[in-house]
Amino acid sequence: MRPELSPGDKLTLRYFPEPVLRRKARDVVLIDSEVRRRARAMLEIMYEHGGIGLAAPQVGWSERLFVANLTGDPEQTAEELVFVNPIVTATAGAVEETMEEGCLSFRELRVPVTRPATIHVRATDLEGKIFELEATELLARCVQHEVDHLDGILFIQRISMVEQLKIKRALKELEKDYAQR
Ligand code: ZN
């Protein structure tokens, strides 16, 4: 396992089965310039790999923060979201939906995951301001996927046994790549 990040370290995307992805992340205690630098670097890594969300453990940083931009377009900076210490609560009576998900830590792997279609989320932004929102559709999906990362839960743990069997070979390949690096 690689050591914890130090201030100023270059962030790099971490792939399954790197242990940091299974660890429950700690709260961010202080939103300082280093936290803001890392959030910016995470957005860049997310764009570079064609993602719409990225959680801190995916860059080896075991703290509760994730970034998102549902457009995936680096030009659309107004769509950028940063969630620090997010808390998700279920919306009463929310229906569940199954949707194909990918994860940058799993390269091209896509699996159908069932999750509530609507959630409530409360988090802090990079200015230290608390915000709350009702997320639906793709945002609800993204927030739940990313908050799972902060709890060390991966999307492959949210699928049926049948689906798990189907991706066995793909996971073996990822394990092999990881062992060779
Ligand atoms: Zn992911």
Side-chain angles (χ1 to χ4, degrees):
M1 201 174 81
R2 296 185 227 189
E4 282 278 316
L5 293 172
S6 301
D9 277 356
K10 183 175 158 58
L11 304 183
T12 55
L13 183 57
R14 308 299 172 88
Y15 294 95
F16 173 86
E18 183 143 336
V20 69
L21 295 171
R22 297 276 196 186
R23 209 178 307 149
K24 188 172 161 64
R26 300 175 304 267
D27 277 339
V28 174
V29 291
L30 177 69
I31 300 167
D32 57 7
S33 59
E34 175 64 9
V35 166
R36 284 188 280 269
R37 179 192 75 84
R38 290 183 187 184
R40 188 67 242 161
M42 284 170 61
L43 282 161
E44 300 309 327
I45 290 168
M46 181 187 84
Y47 294 134
E48 189 189 316
H49 291 86
I52 60 164
L54 188 70
Q58 292 180 275
V59 294
W61 177 21
S62 196
E63 290 190 11
R64 305 186 76 81
L65 179 150
F66 71 89
V67 300
N69 182 337
L70 298 187
T71 71
D73 178 358
E75 304 287 312
Q76 309 247 8
T77 52
E79 301 298 317
E80 291 175 348
L81 294 166
V82 180
F83 295 77
V84 181
N85 300 333
I87 294 172
V88 167
T89 44
T91 306
V95 292
E96 297 214 310
E97 245 173 27
T98 304
M99 199 190 270
E100 232 168 54
E101 285 184 23
C103 178
L104 294 186
S105 295
F106 287 79
R107 303 184 190 275
E108 292 82 32
L109 188 66
R110 296 278 180 282
V111 288
V113 184
T114 304
R115 301 183 189 271
T118 316
I119 47 140
H120 180 87
V121 58
R122 180 189 162 95
T124 304
D125 67 17
L126 286 181
E127 276 72 53
K129 216 174 83 207
I130 290 172
F131 65 95
E132 294 191 49
L133 53 91
E134 293 293 323
T136 62
E137 298 176 12
L138 191 57
L139 183 59
R141 173 77 37 182
C142 174
V143 166
Q144 291 175 86
H145 179 112
E146 303 310 334
V147 170
D148 268 355
H149 273 302
L150 307 183
D151 291 324
I153 298 168
L154 303 171
F155 71 152
I156 54 168
Q157 293 165 258
R158 296 272 187 210
I159 62 176
S160 66
M161 294 296 280
V162 174
E163 292 297 333
Q164 295 207 12
L165 281 174
K166 286 193 211 162
I167 62 165
K168 238 178 148 173
R169 185 193 287 266
L171 295 186
K172 278 264 174 304
E173 287 298 317
L174 284 164
E175 279 164 8
K176 214 171 80 191
D177 287 355
Y178 180 75
Q180 282 167 357
R181 262 177 303 124

